[in-house]
Amino acid sequence: MTLIGPSLMCADMGILKETVIRLDQAGVDFFHLDIMDGNFVPNFTMGPDLIKSIRPYTNKPFDVHLMVKNPENHLDTFIESGANMISVHVEATDHLQKTLKTIRDKGLKAGVALNPSTPLQELVYVLDTIDYVTVMTVNPGFAGQKFIPLMYQKISDLKHLLNKAEYEIDIQVDGNIGYETIPDVLKNGANMLVCGTSSLFKPDVTFEEAVNQLKDFTE
Ligand code: DX5
Ligand code: ZN
């Protein structure tokens, strides 16, 4: 089953509470919350207080994508804010296995996010400690970028690696996931779509229409 997750960094922060309620009711499967520190990536987005403020309005999982240096120093902050899943960048920590194990020990799902050029080999010795892999299909930091074509091959290679290692691990794709890219990311093995300006936050369709179109398109 393909899971659909709005990327809330693309939402209008002035009506975020209503947006979360409407997207929940429209039937999204999770909410993707991009956290940026202006250091690991050249941008800033939301923080733990904003996550806390929308937590009461949905029971759907909060998937917190930490695009921050040394994410191990910030896990409790985002757990307390209401995260259910946390992905950390392999490029941002010297202690990946320990960080992932801490996330799991605290009862959350643990994910590893990979920048476009980062090889899959980085995953091999933590496969027993992760629940999902986030394949960045754009360079992290900003919405509205173009999908990097070689990421199709990376998704396929990842699917083969997980099948061979016999681990049930979700493959999440993040960046320019829209109607031109969805068919091939699904064909190559992705099953969690982070949906932003390319498919969900579009001026000409309502959230309800956009979610229904995505569900029909990914069935
Ligand atoms: C990049 C961000 C974006 C965002 C999705 O760091 O993670 O990919 O979620 O936005 P679009 O769909 O515009 O790429
Ligand atoms: Zn993200």
Side-chain angles (χ1 to χ4, degrees), residues 7 9 32-36 63-67 87 89 134 136 140 172-175 194:
S7 173
M9 73 174 276
H32 186 79
L33 302 150
D34 286 310
I35 309 300
M36 301 182 186
D63 162 34
V64 172
H65 177 189
L66 292 181
M67 285 172 268
S87 63
H89 272 263
T134 299
M136 290 307 298
Q172 180 182 85
V173 285
D174 184 3
V194 174

Side-chain angles (χ1 to χ4, degrees), residues 10-150:
C10 303
D12 175 347
M13 294 298 150
I15 53 166
L16 192 58
K17 171 185 164 186
E18 297 83 347
T19 299
V20 167
I21 292 169
R22 281 181 59 193
L23 286 168
D24 178 306
Q25 289 169 351
V28 299
D29 300 293
F30 64 97
F31 286 95
H32 186 79
L33 302 150
D34 286 310
I35 309 300
M36 301 182 186
D37 63 0
N39 182 1
F40 179 68
V41 293
N43 194 6
F44 296 87
T45 50
M46 59 194 85
D49 290 346
L50 188 114
I51 297 174
K52 212 175 280 179
S53 72
I54 56 174
R55 181 69 278 181
Y57 301 108
T58 178
N59 292 323
K60 302 283 171 70
F62 278 1
D63 162 34
V64 172
H65 177 189
L66 292 181
M67 285 172 268
V68 304
K69 277 243 187 292
N70 304 118
E72 59 272 20
N73 299 338
H74 307 289
L75 298 179
D76 286 338
T77 300
F78 288 97
I79 292 168
E80 279 148 35
S81 74
N84 305 95
M85 314 163 51
I86 295 181
S87 63
V88 298
H89 272 263
V90 61
E91 309 90 356
T93 176
D94 295 331
H95 305 288
L96 181 64
Q97 201 280 342
K98 186 172 161 222
T99 304
L100 295 166
K101 187 172 179 319
T102 304
I103 295 169
R104 272 215 170 146
D105 289 351
K106 291 185 181 255
L108 283 77
K109 284 191 171 181
V112 178
L114 302 173
N115 281 341
S117 66
T118 302
L120 297 174
Q121 188 63 24
E122 294 278 352
L123 297 170
V124 169
Y125 300 115
V126 291
L127 287 175
D128 62 346
T129 323
I130 54 177
D131 300 287
Y132 62 115
V133 177
T134 299
V135 177
M136 290 307 298
T137 44
V138 298
N139 286 299
F142 299 91
Q145 301 179 82
K146 282 316 270 172
F147 190 99
I148 298 169
L150 266 180

